[in-house]
Amino acid sequence: MSAASAPHGRLFGPALMAAVRERFLHVERDHQGRERIYFDNAGGSLRLRAALERLAQVDAVPDNTERIHDTARELQGVQSQGADDLRMLLNARGGSVYAALTASGAMFDLVRAVAENVPGTNMVTTVLEHPSAYDAMERYARQTGRELRVAPSNPATGGVDVEAIARLIDADTCVLNVIHASNISGAKLDLPAIVRAARTVKPDLYILVDAVQHAPHGLIDLQAAPVDGITIAPYKFFGCRGSGLAWLSERAAELPHHKLAGKAPGFWDLGSASPWQFAVLTEIVDYVCWLGTHPQGGAASAAASRRERFAAGIGCIALHERALLWRLLAGGGEAGGAPGLRAQEGVRVFLDHDDLARRDLIIAIGFDHLDCTDAVRAYAQRGITVYERSTASIYSRRMLESFGIEGAVRVSPLHCQTPDEVDRFLRATQDIARAHAPRATTAAT
């Protein structure tokens, strides 16, 4: 089933749902054995068992990869496979793979390399960027004496319009830095259209992308959107903390940057490699490819290319998550169950619109009579983990103010979660709204 033919998505069948959940840790209970629903995957996703097992297995090997013996060559193969898998995941050709401690650190490094070495009088970004991108752009614009131009958000879609970005770009723009999907609204930016519009104005423009939020939810295609640098974070992609991965185009990789003098011009890693970072990525890719060949999943042929199997698997994820998104918004559970968020009295769905194909599985909601922080605590009392996005937070203020929102509860399930969990969340939401509704008063007689 194609995405176009399923505007409200397609849920996994029972057998596939069970098989998927078996592959993840702490799906039904937290690490202390307490039952809960974990709807904060945008802050750190549920983990694949195989990814953590492979991390421990590979990191237990003490051998340095820069040796000539068999174990070193084995580790070199692990790293090479992981680098190939990152390129495949992104549909990238050539270039350099950079393994950092975090995607945030990698983004600062990418922005610095371009800002310090590419001529221009201005730098362009959007108001929806994560601080790792926005603050890096602001810092290096100030340090290099350039104007920072910021594209506004669209409160109707929760994203940024292509035209809003393109009109800020001119022949003197040094770099464009843009997020692939908002980590507050879930809005997916049209990256191919943004790249085309930007390069129509300046064909040799350097473009950097933060794909941390979008990568676990939808297909990335750098052949359709050729950029110069892109980052992902495995800990939000069923993997582990302590790892950020970036890909750089050949021209971006060879810009002056921190490196050992004896290394090749496009080499970015500093210090000894951590092969587990690459091994974990391969486990993530293996899992998505498994989904792509499952009869109830993407149904790609086992003989198909790794990219084709991966694309089928991530498409399967996107359809299941779209169906969960629709259920959150519209309801549809058991008879007499709680209505969807759109219909619940005392509940507001922010940044809502009907084109679910332009949205990842994130919803921002609010309560008429309860602030977002107290609402998160109320969910926790009911065994549900969500997250507050507030203007008091450096990670939220700029984005929320652009939407005219003071605070919101961010709800971010993952594809390994079920319609039943959505229904339980809806019942809890209705209960919270009712519990904090103002009491009716009557005049004294």
Side-chain angles (χ1 to χ4, degrees):
M1 180 184 295
S2 70
S5 65
H8 295 157
R10 180 190 65 184
L11 292 169
F12 293 159
L16 179 57
M17 189 79 258
V20 165
R21 287 170 72 84
E22 177 61 28
R23 283 165 168 76
F24 282 83
L25 290 162
H26 306 310
V27 177
E28 296 178 353
R29 296 181 182 273
D30 70 12
H31 65 290
Q32 294 183 342
R34 296 170 298 195
E35 185 176 355
R36 73 164 175 176
I37 296 174
Y38 184 75
F39 278 8
D40 188 25
N41 290 279
S45 77
L46 291 163
R47 311 297 203 234
L48 280 170
R49 295 177 184 273
L52 271 70
E53 290 168 358
R54 187 64 171 146
L55 181 156
Q57 181 185 53
V58 172
D59 203 41
V61 178
D63 301 64
N64 192 304
T65 56
E66 297 187 27
R67 302 292 185 267
I68 62 173
H69 54 67
D70 289 346
T71 301
R73 285 196 290 269
E74 179 184 349
L75 294 175
Q76 291 165 15
V78 168
Q79 187 164 337
S80 178
Q81 178 64 57
D84 288 346
D85 279 335
L86 181 63
R87 291 186 176 91
M88 181 281 298
L89 183 158
L90 300 170
N91 203 19
R93 305 284 187 271
S96 293
V97 170
Y98 171 34
L101 179 65
T102 65
S104 293
M107 181 57 78
F108 263 85
D109 289 342
L110 268 58
V111 172
R112 178 181 61 200
V114 177
E116 290 183 343
N117 297 287
V118 175
T121 61
N122 67 80
M123 300 162 64
V124 175
T125 191
T126 85
V127 73
L128 295 189
E129 301 307 305
H130 186 276
S132 63
Y134 189 93
D135 292 359
M137 292 286 283
E138 187 176 56
R139 173 191 175 95
Y140 287 104
R142 182 174 64 253
Q143 185 170 308
T144 59
R146 293 188 174 97
E147 174 192 6
L148 180 62
R149 299 176 178 177
V150 182
S153 63
N154 181 336
T157 65
V160 181
D161 297 337
V162 174
E163 297 76 13
I165 297 171
R167 66 170 170 257
L168 299 180
I169 297 168
D170 59 32
D172 292 316
T173 301
C174 164
V175 59
L176 166 64
N177 197 335
V178 63
I179 199 166
H180 208 321
S182 168
N183 61 13
I184 289 182
S185 69
K188 294 186 285 189
L189 276 62
D190 189 343
L191 190 61
I194 290 169
V195 171
R196 286 194 301 269
R199 293 250 170 83
T200 296
V201 178
K202 185 176 182 181
D204 63 347
L205 180 66
Y206 280 76
I207 301 176
L208 305 177
V209 176
D210 171 4
V212 169
Q213 184 56 60
H214 180 59
H217 306 290
L219 193 64
I220 299 170
D221 185 358
L222 296 193
Q223 296 307 298
V227 301
D228 291 285
I230 188 167
T231 59
I232 69 167
Y235 87 98
K236 293 191 180 183
F237 200 167
F238 333 143
C240 312
R241 288 189 178 89
S243 176
L245 297 172
W247 175 87
L248 300 92
S249 69
E250 291 181 10
R251 66 171 186 163
E254 294 187 0
L255 291 171
H257 58 279
H258 291 165
K259 77 174 190 69
L260 301 182
K263 296 290 186 177
F267 190 82
W268 275 64
D269 289 349
L270 283 170
S272 298
S274 296
W276 72 260
Q277 292 182 274
F278 298 91
V280 164
L281 183 71
T282 292
E283 290 296 337
I284 293 168
V285 169
D286 282 349
Y287 165 74
V288 177
C289 288
W290 166 79
L291 265 177
T293 57
H294 194 282
Q296 294 182 3
S301 165
S305 71
R306 193 158 171 81
R307 172 67 182 183
E308 289 170 334
R309 286 178 281 137
F310 181 86
I314 208 77
C316 177
I317 286 171
L319 285 173
H320 179 74
E321 291 189 343
R322 189 182 302 171
L324 294 180
L325 177 59
W326 176 245
R327 197 179 188 103
L328 281 164
L329 293 169
E334 73 281 3
L341 295 171
R342 287 172 171 170
Q344 291 200 14
E345 187 174 352
V347 177
R348 289 165 287 157
V349 182
F350 298 121
L351 311 166
D352 187 23
H353 63 89
D354 289 332
D355 189 353
L356 303 191
R358 296 170 61 193
R359 301 170 63 174
D360 282 337
L361 183 52
I362 295 177
I363 297 181
I365 66 172
F367 291 84
D368 290 345
H369 306 291
L370 189 67
D371 72 28
C372 62
T373 301
D374 287 337
V376 168
R377 295 191 181 105
Y379 278 113
Q381 291 169 356
R382 292 161 174 81
I384 298 172
T385 299
V386 288
Y387 177 56
E388 76 275 13
R389 303 306 302 253
S390 164
T391 53
S393 167
I394 63 168
Y395 294 99
S396 309
R397 182 183 306 116
R398 174 175 19 88
M399 304 82 147
L400 289 173
E401 288 178 345
S402 80
F403 295 132
I405 299 172
E406 185 174 337
V409 176
R410 183 180 68 185
V411 184
S412 55
L414 198 65
H415 73 275
C416 60
Q417 292 167 315
T418 66
D420 177 67
E421 288 172 315
V422 167
D423 295 343
R424 288 156 60 194
F425 171 82
L426 291 175
R427 290 194 296 271
T429 303
Q430 186 174 56
D431 181 50
I432 292 169
R434 287 174 173 172
H436 292 87
R439 298 275 188 258
T441 60
T442 57
T445 58

